[in-house]
Amino acid sequence: MFAALGILILISTSCYGLDNGLAKTPPMGWLSWERFRCNTDCVNDPENCISEKLFQTMTDLVVADGYASAGYEFINIDDCWLEKHRSHDGKLLADRQRFPNGIKALSDYIHSRGLKFGIYEDYGNFTCAGYPGIIGYEQEDAFQFAEWNVDYVKLDGCYSLPLEMDLGYSTFGKLLNSTGKPMVYSCSWPVYQIYAGIQPNFSAVKTYCNLWRNYDDIQDSWTSVENIIDYYGNNQDLIAPNAGPGHWNDPDMLIIGNFGLSYEQAKTQFAIWSILAAPLLMSVDLRTIRPQFKRILQNRKIIAVDQDPLGIQGRRIYKHKGIEIWSKPIGPLYENFYSYAIAFINRRSDGTPSDISVTLKELGLINFNGYRVEDLYENVDYGVLYPNTKIKVKVNPSGVVMLKGEVQFPN
């Protein structure tokens, strides 16, 4: 059944990203939104509200619990950090009760721990939660972020007109660059235009943004993860060529370790996000995460797939009766032969693992010198296999088996 895979990994060599020298690999870090949302009740829920205390705590845990050493470097605020109104001179103000020391102090705290600081705003009159947006204050806000030593800006798109986003988002990207402070620029530009029935100009998007959203916000459920996987698979011919060093498609946060995913489903999300060369932004309570989910998030071999310096977004190369195969070209290379990361997914829910058998050649691994094949979750080394070698994997329902085939050089 695999003879008709028709594998063609389309690799764009003409993608040029935002000229700020940043995000040469997909950003990695921790983001508050999916897990902590817009909880501003620090009186009744002081441990979980959006506050400087929460971000300081997560900063400390990212360092102490090994996430930073695995590559997670950003601590990103999302919506609901602001006062409801600007200052008398038009400056953004952090909520005085929840951020009593101000944003610059929080930025300094995060930097003192060796991490980087990200902030949220909106290209609109208001943020999605109703706080002040940047429209009318674009230059002032860009320079204020620079004064706060911000390293990453996420710009949402509520309360704005999608037709104006081409100019608005690109202008703000230029303003960020003009400050002289390098800041990763995360845009929501395409998704709002897609919702409005407008085909985004991805050439412009990847010129001005380091990463961007294409699809729905992730929710804490397997259904949500599946919908995102389907969107990226069904639209890969349009989406994948736009990704590369400095400019990435963003399928949204990792929800691993929360309430909605089983262990198998969490492994699947991490595997597919790495195949997609996606930003790896955890949104989880690091104080209570269970060890098995922590191990997934810190799987350095799979992180290396995501962070592969070639920056090629992988593709779905097979889909039939609930079984999918995804493939990503990675380094090292031998002549014109790539190494590959391969994810076998079982989307079935019939309660029993499914066997998948396929030769390396059918997966597009055709170098006659062979490939050293390794299971990246089970840490099993299968040795050097050749194009005509048939491999067989057993994949649990809603689970994944992820292999790496490293191209071999002639003796």
Side-chain angles (χ1 to χ4, degrees):
M1 65 179 181
F2 292 91
L5 284 176
I7 299 167
L8 271 179
I9 302 297
L10 302 179
I11 299 166
S12 173
T13 59
S14 58
C15 292
Y16 298 95
L18 181 66
D19 188 20
N20 61 7
L22 302 177
K24 294 303 183 184
T25 59
M28 296 176 60
W30 184 90
L31 177 63
S32 60
W33 181 254
E34 206 293 318
R35 177 58 181 82
F36 293 97
R37 296 287 177 166
C38 191
N39 180 356
T40 59
D41 187 359
C42 289
V43 174
N44 296 304
D45 196 9
E47 300 302 317
N48 298 299
C49 64
I50 301 300
S51 66
E52 67 181 27
K53 178 182 177 181
L54 177 68
F55 290 97
Q56 290 169 346
T57 298
M58 294 302 156
T59 297
D60 292 343
L61 289 171
V62 165
V63 175
D65 288 357
Y67 297 96
S69 64
Y72 297 93
E73 61 176 348
F74 289 98
I75 301 294
N76 291 356
I77 296 178
D78 210 275
D79 206 346
C80 306
W81 61 274
L82 286 157
E83 287 280 358
K84 285 291 187 178
H85 302 283
R86 291 175 178 266
S87 69
H88 63 88
D89 57 351
K91 297 285 190 180
L92 293 170
L93 295 172
D95 185 279
R96 295 176 178 86
Q97 300 300 315
R98 294 182 284 114
F99 295 86
N101 295 300
I103 293 300
K104 182 58 166 63
L106 178 58
S107 173
D108 289 345
Y109 185 95
I110 291 168
H111 287 121
S112 74
R113 302 305 192 268
L115 301 178
K116 297 178 181 178
F117 173 55
I119 206 163
Y120 168 99
E121 248 297 349
D122 189 288
Y123 178 68
N125 295 309
F126 303 97
T127 72
C128 294
Y131 295 87
I134 70 166
I135 285 184
Y137 299 89
E138 291 91 338
Q139 182 168 333
E140 294 88 340
D141 290 352
F143 278 84
Q144 187 167 9
F145 293 156
E147 290 169 8
W148 285 339
N149 202 17
V150 170
D151 302 295
Y152 181 117
V153 176
K154 173 183 174 181
L155 196 65
D156 214 334
C158 289
Y159 299 100
S160 60
L161 297 175
L163 281 172
E164 297 178 356
M165 289 182 173
D166 293 61
L167 178 60
Y169 272 91
S170 61
T171 298
F172 194 68
K174 294 174 186 176
L175 287 169
L176 290 176
N177 275 357
S178 75
T179 68
K181 170 64 175 74
M183 288 178 264
V184 173
Y185 186 29
S186 172
C187 301
S188 299
W189 174 4
V191 66
Y192 283 94
Q193 291 193 332
I194 290 169
Y195 287 159
I198 302 168
Q199 176 58 48
N201 179 353
F202 281 108
S203 178
V205 172
K206 69 188 181 188
T207 298
Y208 294 107
C209 304
N210 292 117
L211 60 154
W212 55 84
R213 292 280 307 285
N214 298 292
Y215 188 61
D216 293 349
D217 287 357
I218 197 167
Q219 306 297 324
D220 193 9
S221 74
W222 175 235
T223 298
S224 178
V225 172
E226 285 192 297
N227 289 342
I228 293 170
I229 292 172
D230 286 339
Y231 181 85
Y232 273 79
N234 294 341
N235 296 279
Q236 60 190 9
D237 290 344
L238 174 64
I239 293 172
N242 301 314
H247 47 105
W248 309 101
N249 293 298
D250 180 8
D252 212 2
M253 294 159 279
L254 297 168
I255 59 169
I256 295 161
N258 291 327
F259 308 104
L261 299 187
S262 69
Y263 175 65
E264 295 294 336
Q265 293 161 354
K267 289 169 61 180
T268 298
Q269 189 194 15
F270 202 59
I272 293 300
W273 264 233
S274 72
I275 291 285
L276 293 174
L280 300 180
L281 297 172
M282 307 177 288
S283 191
V284 60
D285 191 340
L286 298 176
R287 298 167 295 192
T288 57
I289 189 170
R290 285 171 283 175
Q292 63 268 37
F293 294 109
K294 179 180 176 181
R295 285 193 294 271
I296 293 171
L297 290 167
Q298 295 188 7
N299 185 314
R300 296 189 183 216
K301 293 179 179 180
I302 296 179
I303 290 172
V305 170
D306 178 81
Q307 297 288 296
D308 182 75
L310 296 178
I312 300 169
Q313 180 170 320
R315 290 170 174 262
R316 186 180 65 197
I317 60 173
Y318 178 81
K319 179 181 180 182
H320 184 68
K321 293 185 177 179
I323 300 299
E324 297 181 13
I325 304 175
W326 292 69
S327 174
K328 178 184 180 181
I330 58 176
L333 287 75
Y334 167 64
E335 295 181 345
N336 293 323
F337 299 104
Y338 289 88
S339 301
Y340 287 89
I342 306 289
F344 301 85
I345 304 177
N346 181 0
R347 300 280 294 273
R348 299 171 182 170
S349 57
D350 53 9
T352 188
S354 294
D355 292 327
I356 306 172
S357 297
V358 60
T359 65
L360 296 191
K361 181 170 63 177
E362 289 170 326
L363 295 171
L365 282 65
I366 57 175
N367 175 37
F368 63 86
N369 295 305
Y371 300 80
R372 179 168 291 278
V373 177
E374 180 183 11
D375 187 314
L376 300 185
Y377 274 121
E378 300 301 325
N379 291 315
V380 175
D381 187 340
Y382 292 99
V384 177
L385 306 180
Y386 295 92
N388 289 324
T389 305
K390 178 169 285 191
I391 57 174
K392 182 178 180 180
V393 296
K394 186 180 291 291
V395 190
N396 293 335
S398 70
V400 65
V401 170
M402 189 167 187
L403 304 181
K404 176 185 175 183
E406 182 173 319
V407 69
Q408 298 298 289
F409 295 76
N411 295 327

